[in-house]
Amino acid sequence: MLTSKNTNMKLSLKHIYLYSLIGLGASTLASCDSFLDREPITSVTPEAYFSTVDQVGAYVINYYSWLQNSRGQSLFHDKNWRSGMTLNDNNTDNLFSQSGDLNYFAGEKLVPAGKNFETYYSRIRTWNWLLEQILPKEEAGTIQGDEATLKHYIGEAYFFRALAYYQALVRYGDMPIIEKVLSDDAEELKALAVRAPRNEVARFILKDLDTAISRLQDQGYMNNQRINKQTAQLLKSRVALFEATFERYHQGTGRVPGDESWPGKNMSYNQGKTFDIAGEIDFFLTEAMSSAKAVADHCTLTENSHQMNPTLGQTNGWNPYFDMFSSENLSSISEVLLWKEYNLSIGYTHDAGYILSAGGDQLGLSRSYITSFLMQNGLPWYADNSGYQGDTTVSLEKQGRDERLQLFVMGEDDVTASDPRDPKVAAKNDVTTLDTIPLLTNSLELLDFTGYRPRKYYSYDYDQYQSNTVICTTGAVVFRAAEAYLNYIEACYEKNHGLDGDAMKYWKAIRKRAGVSEDYELTIANTDLAKEVNIVNGTVYGDLAVYSGDQPVDATLYNIRRERRCEFISEGMRWDDLKRWRSWDLAINGHYMLEGMNFWDETYKKYENAPNMPKLKADGSSDANMSAASVSKYIRPMGRTQINNQLFDGYTWKKAYYLEPLGVQDFTLTATDPNNVETSSMYQNPYWPMTAGRALE
């Protein structure tokens, strides 16, 4: 336990703001996540600790498990996390999982009776405490060891504080900005328990990242298994692009400072503030472009060999682009800025490779996602003379398409095993193919819900999946430079309503790597937004990102968004993108229906008498294992039965869901009268009540 006047105090929760601001986080060091395979720190005192650079580095590495997205999902394969990062696209129009979120999509999400800020403020406090301890020692020169290494470790601390604030910004918007460990003084706590407007929070995050960038060493440091300068630059571009586009597309909804219905305008501490939101948007877009360019020009994209499947004996090395997501060592890949290593000898492994080789892990990609991919000639699939072959099988649907679709989505003709050590391969002395999507009607554990099984993170190394044990050691990409290319393109177009030379260069490079014609203007000219979004009787079947709010975007911006969607399959970008673009609005007055592959034209015949396969049942009963042909020829994973099924007609959305609610205790702990939440120095996010309950709108 860390002990000091500030970290070992007794707290009276009925008098002070969120206990996480002063009592949690740095007071207990979490168990080491083995990012560098170090033992956890169990007991230290600040007086004796932080006297060496190694001690500072050990503290920071202890929190690498906090590399998460805004939804609290890990940015790498956690041990025993089944199909790993694939699930980070869950609850979007990209992917459906059995663990779908009724809270959002059936309108069941509630304002919690307790606190909702504490996770993020306990993390923020962890870094505030560390910086308070070590910055004076750094200035005094009392920390023994290499100065450059110490400077780097402090840069990591600033990065992590920025990341914690960014995760909170995405979820809650306006946030208190706390830069120090608070004393046990009720009046000080209440004075600081005020929500800064979100644009101020975003500027604070960028300031922390600038400090991190000035201290961190370049890519290559410690084999890219610790945060480096380019990682911080990439996060800076992500934060700036998120804030710019959120402010643009949510202006007027009450979620943006200065809106007539912005709840912060009624607080005394915001009186006198004015907001030039157009100027803020321009500032953030400029920052997004400059930081993205710094990364894009520093790194090169990984090569695509254009070989879509391995041959007999090829376990890796057949396509560097595929290998980037399935190799054990990613340290020499220029595109990979930060990655996580696994080691079987110390029992630090995951099971993504095994799960993806055995079945669908109760998930599946959406048809909307599949149809967003262009043909290799640059035309949308529906365009005249596109060369589209139809969708009666997944492999047929992939023919002639963007090679990201061919590489990272499993089809019937794709190789599932190529290693001669695999008994299936040895028996025929040839590669083994999927032949048919095997688990559409199977028991839940390994079910393919949509027929579109992800192949990113799949491995052809037999050692990775030879038994039903958690033995996979393929590395996990955490940050990669392709995001910088796409951040720059989008920020440039949002800022200038046109593309400069760098944006055009980056877009062509991304498309060339994908095996798609570099002529993006041909794509734009042949894009039909109505076919992309595919709205029928108020239900959306296509790409939500065609719209921001109640208006479609133009064809160029849509294709920039399309490129981002296709590039980041199974990398967890989609949830934040749909939120910042305000693209869920289409499901407020209607529904979003997620569909899978074409089952009822041809594929169903393979299941009627298939051995070792449960009998096909599509009668709408409680134990039905397939949606009925009368509903759609495409699989509807939410439509197998109407019995106790709130999602049978698809996802719905509420205005409130773009921001998370504060909890009731967030108000009572900061109220002058604990019995009256209206006297709180905090305010609730738009469309949420200040008492426990469902969203108002």
Side-chain angles (χ1 to χ4, degrees):
M1 183 74 72
L2 295 173
T3 57
S4 73
K5 292 179 181 179
N6 287 333
T7 60
N8 200 29
M9 60 184 63
K10 299 290 186 180
L11 303 180
S12 174
L13 294 186
K14 64 182 179 181
H15 295 302
I16 63 174
Y17 177 47
L18 302 175
Y19 71 92
S20 59
L21 286 176
I22 65 171
L24 294 181
S27 60
T28 301
L29 284 171
S31 61
C32 182
D33 78 334
S34 300
F35 206 86
L36 288 182
D37 308 324
R38 295 190 180 199
E39 292 300 317
I41 305 167
T42 56
S43 179
V44 296
T45 58
E47 292 80 7
Y49 209 61
F50 302 139
S51 60
T52 70
V53 170
D54 285 347
Q55 290 171 341
V56 177
Y59 181 101
V60 175
I61 204 67
N62 215 52
Y63 292 98
Y64 265 64
S65 60
W66 288 357
L67 283 167
Q68 298 173 345
N69 62 26
S70 65
R71 303 170 72 187
Q73 295 168 314
S74 176
L75 292 178
F76 37 74
H77 299 299
D78 282 338
K79 186 174 182 179
N80 296 324
W81 193 245
R82 301 186 64 79
S83 54
M85 294 186 294
T86 298
L87 282 165
N88 281 352
D89 273 347
N90 194 18
N91 297 324
T92 70
D93 56 352
N94 279 0
L95 182 134
F96 178 84
S97 169
Q98 174 66 12
S99 58
D101 197 331
L102 285 175
N103 286 334
Y104 285 109
F105 300 121
E108 298 297 320
K109 191 168 182 62
L110 302 173
V111 171
K115 300 175 289 292
N116 227 14
F117 269 173
E118 65 181 76
T119 296
Y120 296 99
Y121 274 107
S122 67
R123 294 183 176 186
I124 289 164
R125 185 185 182 283
T126 294
W127 304 111
N128 286 343
W129 185 88
L130 176 65
L131 292 171
E132 283 189 5
Q133 296 298 318
I134 60 178
L135 289 178
K137 293 183 178 181
E138 180 195 34
E139 184 175 359
T142 59
I143 300 177
Q144 298 177 6
D146 181 67
E147 290 184 9
T149 302
L150 175 62
K151 184 179 179 181
H152 180 92
Y153 291 157
I154 295 174
E156 289 182 293
Y158 278 103
F159 175 95
F160 273 113
R161 187 169 72 174
L163 179 63
Y165 266 108
Y166 175 58
Q167 291 166 343
L169 174 72
V170 173
R171 291 176 67 86
Y172 301 108
D174 305 345
M175 294 289 293
I177 298 175
I178 309 293
E179 298 184 68
K180 64 178 183 178
V181 177
L182 304 182
S183 65
D184 191 9
D185 180 279
E187 294 308 312
E188 180 189 21
L189 292 167
K190 286 185 178 180
L192 292 174
V194 297
R195 300 181 69 183
R198 62 176 301 129
N199 62 306
E200 294 180 11
V201 179
R203 282 177 175 264
F204 174 78
I205 295 168
L206 298 192
K207 180 170 71 74
D208 260 8
L209 287 170
D210 282 338
T211 302
I213 290 165
S214 71
R215 287 175 168 272
L216 292 166
Q217 298 192 38
D218 279 318
Q219 182 189 24
Y221 181 72
M222 296 198 71
N223 292 322
N224 298 325
Q225 290 192 73
R226 290 194 76 140
I227 293 157
N228 52 53
K229 179 177 294 186
Q230 284 68 40
T231 301
Q233 289 170 328
L234 182 57
L235 180 61
K236 182 182 177 183
S237 77
R238 183 187 297 182
V239 172
L241 180 60
F242 184 96
E243 186 58 23
T245 50
F246 190 98
E247 290 185 23
R248 169 162 288 168
Y249 294 113
H250 290 263
Q251 194 167 9
T253 66
R255 305 181 193 105
V256 176
D259 285 355
E260 181 62 28
S261 57
W262 175 54
K265 75 172 187 176
N266 299 318
M267 308 308 293
S268 60
Y269 51 79
N270 282 326
Q271 300 309 302
K273 290 185 177 181
T274 59
F275 300 97
D276 175 14
I277 296 303
E280 292 294 284
I281 292 170
D282 187 73
F283 165 77
F284 286 118
L285 290 173
T286 301
E287 293 293 300
M289 289 175 65
S290 62
S291 51
K293 179 174 169 56
V295 177
D297 291 350
H298 178 86
C299 306
T300 57
L301 295 178
T302 301
E303 179 189 358
N304 175 6
S305 70
H306 308 294
Q307 181 180 339
M308 298 297 101
N309 277 287
T311 60
L312 181 63
Q314 287 184 316
T315 57
N316 52 53
W318 54 276
N319 192 321
Y321 191 21
F322 190 91
D323 284 348
M324 184 164 57
F325 303 99
S326 61
S327 298
E328 289 187 307
N329 191 321
L330 310 180
S331 61
S332 62
I333 301 175
S334 176
E335 185 174 340
V336 177
L337 304 179
L338 184 69
W339 67 287
K340 183 172 179 106
E341 185 176 27
Y342 295 84
N343 190 319
L344 181 60
S345 66
I346 61 172
Y348 199 69
T349 59
H350 60 84
D351 62 352
Y354 167 74
I355 290 294
L356 292 174
S357 70
D361 196 25
Q362 308 174 44
L363 58 82
L365 296 164
S366 69
R367 179 170 180 264
S368 164
Y369 185 77
I370 302 304
T371 58
S372 68
F373 285 93
L374 300 170
M375 306 300 294
Q376 288 179 291
N377 57 22
L379 293 173
W381 65 273
Y382 51 76
D384 292 341
N385 302 312
S386 70
Y388 179 62
Q389 298 297 303
D391 61 11
T392 53
T393 69
V394 178
S395 286
L396 188 66
E397 194 171 8
K398 295 201 302 176
Q399 283 188 21
R401 301 284 288 280
D402 184 322
E403 290 179 357
R404 291 171 293 198
L405 175 61
Q406 297 186 52
L407 275 174
F408 299 125
V409 178
M410 188 73 76
E412 299 89 345
D413 299 334
D414 285 313
V415 172
T416 58
S418 60
D419 195 321
R421 294 171 295 172
D422 189 324
K424 294 176 294 185
V425 175
K428 57 186 290 190
N429 194 32
D430 198 358
V431 298
T432 300
T433 61
L434 192 60
D435 183 49
T436 181
I437 300 294
L439 298 174
L440 288 171
T441 61
N442 205 45
S443 60
L444 279 179
E445 183 179 2
L446 297 174
L447 182 66
D448 283 297
F449 263 122
T450 67
Y452 297 120
R453 185 189 301 178
R455 193 163 65 143
K456 188 176 277 187
Y457 313 124
Y458 192 85
S459 175
Y460 288 96
D461 181 356
Y462 181 57
D463 287 340
Q464 300 293 329
Y465 63 91
Q466 61 183 298
S467 61
N468 188 7
T469 56
V470 186
I471 62 170
C472 299
T473 55
T474 52
V477 177
V478 183
F479 286 91
R480 63 184 180 101
E483 182 188 350
Y485 285 59
L486 291 161
N487 288 355
Y488 186 95
I489 297 166
E490 184 181 347
C492 179
Y493 191 78
E494 288 280 6
K495 179 178 170 66
N496 303 317
H497 203 66
L499 300 176
D500 63 16
D502 285 320
M504 290 186 281
K505 177 180 68 174
Y506 298 151
W507 200 355
K508 289 179 180 180
I510 289 285
R511 287 170 68 109
K512 180 179 180 181
R513 201 257 296 273
V516 174
S517 166
E518 297 176 36
D519 187 357
Y520 57 81
E521 292 179 345
L522 173 70
T523 303
I524 293 166
N526 284 276
T527 296
D528 185 332
L529 294 177
K531 290 181 180 178
E532 297 288 353
V533 70
N534 191 17
I535 303 175
V536 180
N537 298 324
T539 297
V540 181
Y541 296 89
D543 193 336
L544 288 167
V546 170
Y547 275 69
S548 281
D550 61 358
Q551 296 296 315
V553 299
D554 64 58
T556 301
L557 183 54
Y558 168 68
N559 275 288
I560 292 170
R561 293 179 178 184
R562 179 212 300 274
E563 201 72 62
R564 185 177 183 88
R565 188 185 194 191
C566 293
E567 179 64 30
F568 293 125
I569 179 173
S570 300
E571 294 186 55
M573 297 285 190
R574 189 65 170 176
W575 178 255
D576 287 358
D577 286 348
L578 292 176
K579 285 183 69 176
R580 66 187 176 90
W581 294 330
R582 197 179 150 203
S583 294
W584 280 112
D585 269 28
L586 290 175
I588 292 176
N589 296 316
H591 291 82
Y592 176 74
M593 177 57 70
L594 189 145
E595 293 185 314
M597 69 175 292
N598 180 348
F599 183 78
W600 288 107
D601 275 349
E602 295 290 339
T603 299
Y604 78 95
K605 298 173 185 177
K606 301 176 182 179
Y607 290 81
E608 291 182 324
N609 298 298
N612 304 316
M613 185 67 64
K615 182 176 175 60
L616 181 62
K617 191 172 186 180
D619 59 1
S621 62
S622 60
D623 59 346
N625 54 22
M626 182 54 61
S627 55
S630 59
V631 174
S632 174
K633 68 180 181 179
Y634 299 104
I635 295 172
R636 291 196 176 170
M638 297 175 284
R640 288 176 168 83
T641 178
Q642 285 184 280
I643 300 171
N644 297 321
N645 182 2
Q646 294 175 275
L647 300 180
F648 182 81
D649 293 322
Y651 293 161
T652 57
W653 188 257
K654 289 182 179 292
K655 293 179 181 179
Y657 292 171
Y658 286 109
L659 293 174
E660 298 291 308
L662 276 67
V664 174
Q665 277 192 291
D666 292 328
F667 303 121
T668 58
L669 293 173
T670 55
T672 55
D673 177 0
N675 296 314
N676 182 1
V677 295
E678 298 294 337
T679 66
S680 171
S681 58
M682 307 289 279
Y683 50 88
Q684 183 59 286
N685 277 328
Y687 314 112
W688 289 105
M690 293 185 74
T691 55
R694 292 183 176 84
L696 302 174
E697 295 184 54

